[in-house]
Amino acid sequence: MTVSKPGLVILTGAGISAESGIRTFRSSNGLWEEHRIEDVATPMGFKRDPHLVQRFYNERRKQLSQTLPNTAHHALVELERAWPGSFLLVTQNVDDLHDRAGSQSMLHMHGELLKVRCVSCDTVSRWETDVLPDSQCPACKAADKLRPHIVWFGETPLDMEIIYRSLETCDYFAAIGTSGHVYPAAGFVQCVGSDCHTTEINLEPSVVNSAFKECRHGPATETVPAWVREMLSRR
Ligand code: OAD
């Protein structure tokens, strides 16, 4: 007799990092850390004022060094380690809190704050300090060619093929701390099979909450560890 191993896909958004001290995107009238999203999170914004955009992400990198993963990030690591089937964590977050907590099977679909991409040779490099006008690409040594390795509005998210393949075959899908405003992530709940159990875990109902079979509302540091305990007791 073969025992089927349940597949689990988890999508996270800014809400899971909120209690670590990183502000969510839509918490203050569309302003993100006092900037319009169009100015700091679009290719046009970067073309218009690259120095403003670099300063903005330099600040975000600095802020990241003062934060720590919270109990929700840690609970997902515990779940990954004990889960008997396939496991994939897809995060929209560009912070490294899942990485620091110890998540392994994880994709950063919107890029990573601690990486830069050279617009000249396309190499992606780890970058933990400020990007300055004379910063050189570690691979091709070109100066002033580095951009944040962030998927901006109008650009294609990363690893979509792997993500869609996992969604099509998973038995459980959970979306944690995401408002459901940004596609394609907001549409993942529609990509799973009809037998898949779907759970939304968010501070409040997201704009796509009616697409989920189950919704749990409250702060991630409480709701996520409780949900993980239940998932593990179901094994
Ligand atoms: P949003 O800021 O749109 O939504 C965050 C969600 O988290 C909201 O629904 C909040 O209610 C919820 N939330 C806040 N605090 C919470 C807490 N303590 N516990 C649980 N939930 C909490 O962020 P995202 O949905 O992640 O894209 O935004 C998606 C994308 O839009 C981002 O990845 C970013 C942004 O523009 C790029 O940078 C490309």
Side-chain angles (χ1 to χ4, degrees):
M1 190 179 80
T2 51
V3 179
S4 71
K5 298 195 169 183
L8 169 60
V9 178
I10 300 171
L11 169 71
T12 62
I16 197 165
S17 297
E19 290 163 87
S20 289
I22 300 178
R23 225 198 277 178
T24 60
F25 296 94
R26 290 171 186 81
S27 56
S28 48
N29 304 322
L31 289 185
W32 182 21
E33 301 280 359
E34 277 63 61
H35 290 274
R36 294 188 317 155
I37 286 182
E38 306 86 277
D39 291 338
V40 293
T42 62
M44 281 312 291
F46 187 55
K47 203 167 167 197
R48 216 168 25 240
D49 194 344
H51 300 302
L52 167 86
V53 175
Q54 297 287 18
R55 274 201 308 276
F56 176 79
Y57 288 97
N58 288 344
E59 263 319 300
R60 303 285 72 76
R61 253 176 242 118
K62 248 184 235 128
Q63 183 191 52
L64 199 52
S65 66
Q66 291 149 17
T67 61
L68 288 172
N70 63 48
T71 54
H73 298 101
H74 289 297
L76 294 187
V77 176
E78 190 190 330
L79 180 56
E80 178 178 1
R81 289 186 182 150
W83 187 250
S86 66
F87 179 100
L88 180 65
L89 172 60
V90 180
T91 187
Q92 298 170 87
N93 299 343
V94 298
D95 66 53
D96 67 341
L97 296 181
H98 285 303
D99 311 65
R100 275 193 273 151
S103 287
Q104 297 285 319
S105 178
M106 184 195 18
L107 298 172
H108 279 275
M109 65 176 287
H110 287 167
E112 293 173 69
L113 206 41
L114 297 184
K115 287 185 180 167
V116 291
R117 189 163 78 246
C118 176
V119 296
S120 185
C121 73
D122 219 30
T123 302
V124 174
S125 309
R126 183 149 178 103
W127 199 278
E128 296 182 9
T129 54
D130 287 353
V131 178
L132 302 168
D134 60 354
S135 294
Q136 286 185 341
C137 166
C140 73
K141 310 295 175 210
D144 208 12
K145 294 288 180 195
L146 299 177
R147 59 158 278 181
H149 184 49
I150 305 280
V151 177
W152 287 326
F153 285 94
E155 298 181 322
T156 308
L158 309 172
D159 301 310
M160 293 310 293
E161 258 183 54
I162 305 172
I163 296 170
Y164 282 127
R165 225 178 303 130
S166 302
L167 287 167
E168 279 163 17
T169 55
C170 69
D171 302 284
Y172 296 93
F173 171 70
I176 302 173
T178 179
S179 63
H181 279 105
V182 175
Y183 284 81
F188 286 174
V189 64
Q190 317 275 9
C191 300
V192 300
S194 55
D195 290 341
C196 177
H197 186 76
T198 55
T199 308
E200 167 169 292
I201 304 173
N202 203 41
L203 192 59
E204 62 206 350
S206 78
V207 295
V208 292
N209 82 95
S210 62
F212 288 84
K213 291 180 179 162
E214 180 194 3
C215 294
R216 298 170 176 223
H217 299 129
T221 55
E222 293 170 19
T223 50
V224 176
W227 174 72
V228 165
R229 279 193 297 276
E230 280 177 43
M231 289 297 282
L232 290 180
S233 69
R234 258 184 214 177
R235 282 179 300 162

